[in-house]
Amino acid sequence: IGAAVGFMFGGILGDSVGTANRAQLQAKQMEEQSQKLEQELIDTRIALAKASERTGGDEMLDALAQRLHADVLFRTNDATMEADVASKLEDLGKLLALHGELEVQLHGFADPRGKSEKNLELSLERANAVREALIRGGAAPEQIQLAAHGSDLTTAPKGDLEAYAWERRVSLSIRPTATSAVARNE
């Protein structure tokens, strides 16, 4: 009886430690993502400054579009962002406000756990959270294109919790608006 109780207690304790370790890993991954996004924004500002010194808007747009693609990560069943990530997105919104010829594409995703309808709804909430942060920074709503994919495009192996962490995201990329591209061709 003592061995069985000890075995059960050890299993429960081991599971608790494993859960704590996974939570620390997710927090570390979110911090790394935040730092990566911050560095990409800095690099983008530098590229934008260099490109705007030259003549011709196409070079500036190309430099910006090639430099900025980022993923904003989210916790399980949650559509809220860390304050520092939201702040960096607001900074990006300020940049977009200065360059109306640019638009942002947002693609929301969810990991494959849960019902398909709920995952689609959650991915839309995540994309809208990123959209709202950009608008708070000054981006015009019409500069933001939004799509929600739920868990339809998941590539995570079934049961791989670490891979699921990368599925809970909003991917964003910048490109010239379709109207500015038409205006340049005429």
Side-chain angles (χ1 to χ4, degrees):
I1 294 175
V5 170
F7 179 72
M8 288 185 344
F9 182 72
I12 292 170
L13 183 61
D15 188 45
S16 296
V17 169
T19 301
N21 287 342
R22 283 190 297 277
Q24 286 177 341
L25 176 63
Q26 284 182 341
K28 181 180 176 189
Q29 288 172 340
M30 290 182 82
E31 177 62 26
E32 288 172 356
Q33 183 65 29
S34 173
Q35 290 173 354
K36 179 181 173 187
L37 182 59
E38 181 176 1
Q39 186 58 49
E40 287 179 357
L41 284 172
I42 291 169
D43 292 345
T44 299
R45 287 182 184 138
I46 293 169
L48 181 59
K50 288 179 182 177
S52 65
E53 291 173 1
R54 298 183 294 238
T55 57
D58 291 346
E59 291 179 43
M60 186 263 315
L61 293 174
D62 290 344
L64 185 60
Q66 289 174 6
R67 306 276 313 152
L68 186 61
H69 175 84
D71 290 328
V72 179
L73 300 179
F74 292 85
R75 294 187 182 278
T76 301
N77 202 26
D78 194 3
T80 57
M81 293 177 288
E82 300 291 325
D84 61 329
V85 173
S87 175
K88 288 171 184 42
L89 289 168
E90 290 171 13
D91 288 345
L92 178 59
K94 291 175 188 173
L95 181 68
L96 290 168
L98 296 173
H99 299 281
E101 70 276 10
L102 299 176
E103 71 180 14
V104 177
Q105 291 185 327
L106 303 177
H107 292 271
F109 300 92
D111 70 41
R113 296 176 293 176
K115 294 183 178 182
S116 181
E117 300 84 28
K118 174 65 178 162
N119 285 339
L120 185 59
E121 180 182 312
L122 185 57
S123 67
L124 180 60
E125 289 173 14
R126 290 171 175 164
N128 274 321
V130 172
R131 178 180 184 273
E132 292 304 315
L134 293 169
I135 291 171
R136 277 193 309 272
E142 57 272 6
Q143 285 182 284
I144 304 168
Q145 306 299 317
L146 191 126
H149 303 285
S151 58
D152 292 343
L153 302 177
T154 186
T155 59
K158 186 174 182 172
D160 186 343
L161 297 180
E162 285 187 40
Y164 289 170
W166 294 105
E167 298 287 325
R168 299 185 301 267
R169 72 186 189 282
V170 172
S171 293
L172 64 102
S173 57
I174 292 182
R175 67 180 192 156
T177 60
T179 55
S180 66
V182 171
R184 282 194 307 269
N185 288 332
E186 291 182 6

